[in-house]
Amino acid sequence: MFSVLIVEDDLIQSDTIKELLSCRYPGWNVYIARNSSEAEMLLNLHKIGLFLLDIELSKEETEPDGIDFGRKIREMTGYKHIPVIFITGMPDKVLKALQEIHCASYLVKPFSTKQLIEAVEYATETETKTPEELLLKDSSGVYQRVAPDSILYLESNGKNIIIHTEIYLITIANYSVTKIQQMLPDYFIRCHRKYIINGRKIASYDKSTQFIHIGKSSIPVGRKHKEELEGFLNL
């Protein structure tokens, strides 16, 4: 289920936004945090697909503001490209947010219901566009075009990475697991030091044995990556 996180210290404002989104999108989970600490706690529990961040989260200069938290989001695994909508009563701060965080849109207070919904629809439509094909050099030196949605999982094998698709295998060289993950959409998850999986292709996950089942394969979940995986699955 799609989840939205509103980070806003004005309770009236955040409750109003939540009510409007819940009415418009009854199938969505909408969470509220009053500050970055509460937001981080929610991120440990849920996989968020859209952020609405108030730029002025606190009047205290020592406290992180929405731009600070936006930077932190972009450094988190799996959140490099998740859409962010900034909310502000100070339009002069918008440019900084646009430049540093690459937000999907912004809203200047006071804003109308129509402006809110238009910003949300633009952000979510942008996020759900079909990702571009990857151009990757295989172990024979030939460049291959690979559609991310065709990938089941990727497996590190020595100096190579094997891409398992629904039909065939591609072995690529000179790519680290970290580098290849940065090239993939955010629904690809590192579940083990050797494996990156397509989160949309997970058939099942056995918490007792800590194995993921994708296609005909069973893939182990490493202790270091268990929390991130279960957060993605909202477990």
Side-chain angles (χ1 to χ4, degrees):
M1 186 177 290
F2 191 78
S3 297
V4 181
L5 177 57
I6 303 164
V7 188
E8 165 68 76
D9 61 347
D10 184 327
L11 292 180
I12 295 176
Q13 182 88 66
S14 58
D15 286 345
T16 299
I17 294 172
K18 179 176 181 177
E19 184 177 352
L20 290 170
L21 293 181
S22 297
C23 289
R24 178 78 177 193
Y25 310 100
W28 288 9
N29 289 323
V30 183
Y31 303 102
I32 293 174
R34 291 174 297 176
N35 52 52
S36 59
S37 297
E38 290 183 8
E40 287 188 55
M41 290 176 61
L42 286 166
L43 278 171
N44 288 329
L45 298 172
H46 310 285
K47 176 67 176 178
I48 303 300
L50 172 66
F51 293 89
L52 287 93
L53 301 183
D54 181 16
I55 290 181
E56 300 83 36
L57 276 180
S58 173
K59 294 180 176 60
E60 299 292 331
E61 292 186 4
T62 56
E63 291 295 316
D65 60 14
I67 296 177
D68 294 326
F69 187 62
R71 291 192 196 100
K72 184 171 286 189
I73 288 172
R74 291 298 183 235
E75 293 171 357
M76 294 178 180
T77 303
Y79 286 101
K80 185 177 180 181
H81 302 293
I82 295 295
V84 173
I85 298 173
F86 276 108
I87 301 170
T88 182
M90 303 174 68
D92 58 308
K93 290 192 175 184
V94 169
L95 181 59
K96 184 179 181 182
L98 288 169
Q99 291 174 332
E100 293 193 24
I101 316 301
H102 308 294
C103 65
S105 187
Y106 66 90
L107 293 163
V108 178
K109 301 176 185 179
F111 51 85
S112 66
T113 301
K114 181 175 181 291
Q115 289 172 318
L116 171 65
I117 298 304
E118 284 179 348
V120 168
E121 290 190 348
Y122 172 77
T124 53
E125 284 172 7
T126 300
E127 173 64 13
T128 55
K129 284 181 180 176
T130 303
E132 295 182 4
E133 290 183 334
L134 302 176
L135 186 62
L136 301 170
K137 188 176 182 180
D138 69 18
S139 55
S140 300
V142 177
Y143 282 92
Q144 305 273 358
R145 289 193 177 275
V146 185
D149 284 345
S150 72
I151 299 172
L152 297 175
Y153 63 94
L154 301 93
E155 177 186 4
S156 175
N157 182 19
K159 294 182 179 180
N160 297 327
I161 290 179
I162 303 171
I163 300 176
H164 296 255
T165 74
E166 296 171 340
I167 303 172
Y168 53 85
L169 303 180
I170 300 174
T171 300
I172 59 174
N174 301 315
Y175 294 88
S176 67
V177 176
T178 300
K179 181 179 178 180
I180 198 70
Q181 185 171 16
Q182 290 173 346
M183 300 169 68
L184 292 163
D186 289 320
Y187 50 83
F188 280 83
I189 308 154
R190 182 88 171 265
C191 69
H192 187 277
R193 64 182 179 83
K194 292 181 61 176
Y195 294 96
I196 300 172
I197 60 169
N198 184 339
R200 294 178 176 176
K201 303 291 186 179
I202 296 173
S204 64
Y205 168 50
D206 188 333
K207 289 186 71 172
S208 60
T209 60
Q210 294 187 25
F211 272 88
I212 297 166
H213 304 285
I214 297 180
K216 297 180 180 179
S217 301
S218 295
I219 300 168
V221 178
R223 186 182 306 171
K224 181 179 176 181
H225 304 282
K226 179 175 180 288
E227 184 176 341
E228 180 187 351
L229 172 73
E230 294 185 356
F232 177 85
L233 295 172
N234 289 325
L235 297 177

